[in-house]
Amino acid sequence: MSLLFKIGFLDVSIVNMIDIALVAALLYQVYKLLKGSVAIKIFLGFLSLYLIYLLVRAVRMELLSAILGQFMGVGVIAAIIIFAPEIRKFLLIVGRSSIFSDDNVWKDILFFWKKKENSAFNIAPIIDAAKVLAGSNTGALIVISSTVELKFYAESGDILDAELSKRLLISIFNKYSPLHDGAVIIHKGRIKAARCILPVTEREVPAQFGLRHRAGIGMSEATDALILVVSEETGQISMMKNGKVLHNLSFQEIREIINDYLNNLDLDDRFENLSEYDLTAKKNLAISKRA
C-alpha cells in the first residue's frame, strides 16, 4: 500500500483517498435523494452522531465509545425502519437506471452498433387536449412513458389500450366522466389506462401545488416518465421529471419538452428542484407586492 502523506498518527494512502471520495459521493447522492423532505433532518442527526462516535473512538474515550457504539448498533435497524420509503425510492432509482431494466438489454448488447430507436409519436392530440383543458380550468394528470408501459400503475386504473386522440383525452378528464379522477398513462402513442393511482411525494412542496401536482412529482420520482398536470384552479400547466418541476409553461415549451423526452434527450437541466422553485416563487411574489 503506497503512502501518500501522514497526518499525526494517521497514515493516508491512495486507497484511503479513493475510499473517502466514494463515501463522499455516496453521501452526496443520499443527501440529494432526501433533500426537501423531513427525513433529511433525521439523516443529518444520524450522521452527526456517527461522526462523534468515530471521533471519541479515535481519541480512545472508552466509556463514551461503548455507549455510542451500542446506540449505533441499534441505530442501523432503526434507520432501516425510519427510512423505509427513502430506501424503496433509492432502489427504484437504481433499478430503473440499471442496464437490466430494459427488456431488450441483450438485444442492445448484441447489436450495440445500431442506433437506439426513439419512441416518438404524434403528440398533437396531447397539446390540443391540454389547450382545451387549460382553457376550461379542467384538472388533468397525464403520464407519458417512453421506455416501459408502467403496467403496475396502469393496472391500478381501467385498462383502455386506445388510440391517442384529443377528444378521448378531453372526455376522460371531463368532471362528469367516471374516469376523470386519476391519471392517464400514455405509451407509444396509445392511452394504456385511465383513472390510475399514482404514488404521492412525501417531500415538502410549494403551497400552491395540489394533490395532482404531488402525485405527478411522486410518479416522476418513482419512474422515468414525464408528467403533465393541468391545474383545476388556475388552468396553468406544469411538468415533472425526476422529482423536478417546471410550472406555468407555454404550449410551445410543452411541445418541445415532450418531443425531446421522446427522442431520449437529457431534460434534467431544464427542470427546477422544488426548493429552488419555491425560492423563485417567493422572490417573484415579493417583487409583485413591491410593484
Side-chain angles (χ1 to χ4, degrees), residues 39-54:
I40 186 63
K41 297 178 182 178
I42 303 174
F43 170 73
L44 293 175
F46 270 115
L47 184 60
S48 300
L49 282 176
Y50 184 66
L51 293 176
I52 293 171
Y53 167 66
L54 293 178

Side-chain angles (χ1 to χ4, degrees), residues 187-201:
H187 177 64
K188 290 187 177 179
R190 298 189 68 83
I191 300 176
K192 291 296 179 180
R195 206 176 61 85
C196 300
I197 300 172
L198 305 185
V200 178
T201 183

Side-chain angles (χ1 to χ4, degrees), residues 146-159:
S146 65
T147 54
V148 293
E149 294 184 25
L150 303 174
K151 289 183 180 179
F152 175 78
Y153 299 102
E155 289 171 356
S156 68
D158 295 325
I159 303 297

Side-chain angles (χ1 to χ4, degrees), residues 2-7 10-14 16-17 20:
S2 57
L3 184 67
L4 283 180
F5 54 87
K6 196 170 184 179
I7 305 176
L10 295 176
D11 296 332
V12 182
S13 66
I14 296 176
N16 296 140
M17 296 300 294
I20 292 170

Side-chain angles (χ1 to χ4, degrees), residues 182-233:
V184 160
I185 295 178
I186 297 173
H187 177 64
K188 290 187 177 179
R190 298 189 68 83
I191 300 176
K192 291 296 179 180
R195 206 176 61 85
C196 300
I197 300 172
L198 305 185
V200 178
T201 183
E202 296 180 1
R203 296 158 63 194
E204 295 179 3
V205 299
Q208 67 268 35
F209 284 175
L211 186 58
R212 282 191 182 88
H213 294 85
R214 293 181 64 88
I217 295 168
M219 187 65 171
S220 71
E221 292 171 342
T223 68
D224 65 349
L226 182 67
I227 321 297
L228 185 149
V229 178
V230 180
S231 173
E232 189 173 351
E233 294 181 358

Side-chain angles (χ1 to χ4, degrees), residues 45 57 104 106 196 222 281:
R57 193 175 67 171
N104 297 318
W106 299 114
C196 300

